[in-house]
């Protein structure tokens, strides 16, 4: 698949496009889209989107059983859910900071950030709705307050906006790369250098539509800085600073340099490590307050499961 998966978001809709590569010719379009989307959506829902005219191929509406041809351009306009009311859920949250404009959460591993079509409960958004009652509506019904996200199995700091003005400010800071985001990760192997920068573009993996890879083809610039914190022979603990914010950026970059994250189910190897998900923690988050313009910076300690893993390695 040509991963010129361009994605644009308006206040209420998201438009995604793909250009079909040779290996996906003759595949049904509903199967292709179901597997290509980052969000976990059902094939039945995708078929309904096709029937409702939200999917076009080369500018024309098609049927759910349409067979793809090489170089077909698929356009999907993901509709806002009709009549879906997200429920506020009393999910425990570790609130690090909160005022009238912004809330910062230390997210637990295993918590999905926002709902997706067909999966409307058990997320950070549901928890925030219970806790806050007031969230920015810029990102639409399913993503109130959400300015950025971290993976389900990554723990750590994430900020959300409580009004549209705050949302616009925080989003602009992310776009301008002025937000300070630092992660702690345990990776396989012994890094050769004590510090360095990985400047390698990231795009969709043509062999697996749900994964990303370093590629020059239809990719975006991605920059990650690393500093070694501690060495364990077969493992290294590193601090990583994001300059850009591509999907799975740290996981892809560390795999690219031969040091995948411990426990990463997609890009690494578990090696029997006793941790559910990748050993990655969003430890530091700094940004300019959207109203007062004061610099705020927060730090979250390594969670217990990751700390226990480090202690096991140190004593082994």
């Amino acid at each position: 698949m040509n991963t010129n998966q361009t994605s644009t978001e308006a206040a209420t809709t998201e438009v995604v496009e793909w250009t079909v590569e040779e290996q996906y010719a003759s595949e049904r379009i509903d199967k292709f889209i179901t597997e290509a989307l980052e969000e976990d959506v059902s094939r039945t829902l995708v078929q309904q989107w096709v029937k409702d005219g939200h999917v076009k191929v080369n500018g024309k509406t098609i049927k759910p059983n349409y067979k793809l041809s090489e170089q077909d351009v698929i356009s999907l306009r993901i509709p806002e859910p009709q009549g879906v009311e997200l429920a506020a859920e009393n999910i425990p949250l570790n609130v690090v900071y909160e005022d009238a404009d912004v809330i910062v959460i230390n997210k637990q591993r295993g918590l999905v950030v926002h709902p997706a079509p067909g999966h409307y409960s058990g997320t950070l958004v549901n928890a925030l709705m219970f806790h806050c009652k007031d969230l920015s509506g810029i990102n639409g019904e399913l993503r109130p307050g959400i300015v950025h996200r971290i993976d389900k199995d990554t723990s750590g700091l994430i900020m959300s906006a409580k009004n549209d003005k705050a949302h616009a400010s925080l989003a602009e800071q992310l776009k301008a790369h002025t937000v300070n985001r630092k992660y702690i990760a345990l990776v396989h192997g012994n890094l050769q250098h004590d510090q360095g920068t990985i400047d390698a573009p990231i795009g969709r993996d043509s062999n697996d539509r749900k994964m990303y890879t370093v590629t020059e083809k239809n990719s975006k610039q991605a920059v990650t800085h690393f500093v070694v914190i501690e060495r364990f022979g077969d493992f290294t603990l590193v601090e990583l600073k994001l300059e850009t914010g591509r999907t799975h950026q740290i996981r892809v970059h560390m795999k690219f340099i031969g040091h995948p994250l411990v426990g990463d189910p997609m890009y690494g190897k578990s090696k029997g490590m006793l941790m559910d998900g990748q050993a990655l923690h969003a430890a530091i988050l700094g940004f300019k307050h959207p109203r007062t313009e004061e610099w705020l910076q927060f730090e979250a300690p390594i969670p217990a499961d990751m700390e226990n893993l480090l202690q096991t390695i140190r004593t082994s």
Side-chain angles (χ1 to χ4, degrees):
M1 179 180 62
N2 182 324
T3 64
N4 189 15
Q5 181 210 323
T6 56
S7 176
T8 58
E9 286 191 23
T12 57
T13 59
E14 182 178 0
V15 179
V16 188
E17 288 189 352
W18 300 271
T19 302
V20 179
E21 288 187 340
E22 181 181 3
Q23 68 257 44
Y24 300 111
S26 300
E27 187 169 288
R28 279 181 54 130
I29 192 165
D30 55 345
K31 179 175 184 290
F32 180 96
I33 292 175
T34 302
E35 294 179 358
L37 284 172
E38 285 182 40
E39 311 294 354
D40 184 14
V41 300
S42 70
R43 192 162 171 178
T44 301
L45 180 60
V46 172
Q47 290 170 350
Q48 190 61 52
W49 287 346
V50 175
K51 292 175 184 176
D52 292 343
H54 297 296
V55 178
K56 292 185 178 181
V57 176
N58 304 323
K60 299 178 180 178
T61 56
I62 38 78
K63 295 181 178 180
N65 63 354
Y66 175 85
K67 299 290 183 68
L68 297 172
S69 298
E70 185 180 359
Q71 295 303 309
D72 271 351
V73 176
I74 304 168
S75 175
L76 164 65
R77 183 177 293 275
I78 300 176
E80 275 292 289
Q82 297 299 313
V84 171
E85 290 192 14
L86 294 182
E89 298 178 37
N90 189 9
I91 299 170
L93 288 178
N94 182 357
V95 179
V96 176
Y97 175 83
E98 182 178 10
D99 62 22
D101 300 295
V102 65
I103 182 170
V104 177
I105 302 294
N106 182 10
K107 186 186 81 69
Q108 59 265 44
R109 195 183 319 282
L111 182 64
V112 174
V113 169
H114 62 72
H119 303 274
Y120 299 120
S121 65
T123 72
L124 176 63
V125 163
N126 298 103
L128 285 171
M129 290 174 64
F130 182 89
H131 178 86
C132 295
K133 317 300 183 195
D134 53 345
L135 293 168
S136 162
I138 284 181
N139 264 353
E141 189 174 347
L142 293 186
R143 304 181 186 184
I146 298 302
V147 184
H148 66 124
R149 63 183 182 182
I150 54 179
D151 294 338
K152 171 187 174 183
D153 290 325
T154 297
S155 60
L157 297 170
I158 181 170
M159 58 186 175
S160 293
K162 298 177 98 179
N163 55 66
D164 289 357
K165 181 178 179 181
H167 192 122
S169 172
L170 295 174
E172 181 58 35
Q173 291 180 57
L174 285 163
K175 184 179 179 181
H177 310 313
T178 58
V179 176
N180 186 26
R181 289 177 292 169
K182 291 184 179 180
Y183 291 71
I184 303 295
L186 182 68
V187 302
H188 287 280
N190 198 333
L191 269 71
Q192 183 178 357
H193 303 288
D194 289 338
Q195 59 185 7
T197 296
I198 308 164
D199 186 347
I202 290 176
R204 288 265 185 180
D205 188 331
S206 61
N207 296 315
D208 187 330
R209 285 170 259 181
K210 289 190 178 293
M211 294 180 69
Y212 291 79
T213 188
V214 170
T215 176
E216 295 290 341
K217 190 174 183 181
N218 298 312
S219 56
K220 294 182 179 180
Q221 182 191 26
V223 180
T224 306
H225 307 282
F226 70 85
V227 176
V228 170
I229 299 173
E230 191 174 355
R231 299 180 186 276
F232 307 99
D234 291 337
F235 305 95
T236 306
L237 188 67
V238 293
E239 179 186 84
L240 301 129
K241 178 177 172 60
L242 287 182
E243 189 171 312
T244 53
R246 308 304 174 206
T247 302
H248 299 172
Q249 179 172 319
I250 288 174
R251 300 164 68 185
V252 171
H253 270 173
M254 296 314 291
K255 176 185 178 182
F256 175 65
I257 66 170
H259 297 281
L261 269 61
V262 168
D264 190 331
M266 291 183 71
Y267 301 100
K269 44 191 177 181
S270 65
K271 274 194 172 180
M273 289 295 152
L274 300 176
M275 217 181 80
D276 187 15
Q278 60 271 6
L280 182 62
H281 176 64
I284 294 175
L285 178 63
F287 56 91
K288 186 173 68 174
H289 190 278
R291 186 184 301 271
T292 68
E293 299 192 349
E294 175 190 2
W295 179 257
L296 302 177
Q297 185 153 299
F298 307 96
E299 185 168 354
I302 293 174
D305 58 352
M306 190 169 167
E307 187 60 53
N308 291 338
L309 178 58
L310 290 173
Q311 291 300 329
T312 299
I313 293 173
R314 288 186 182 108
T315 57
S316 62

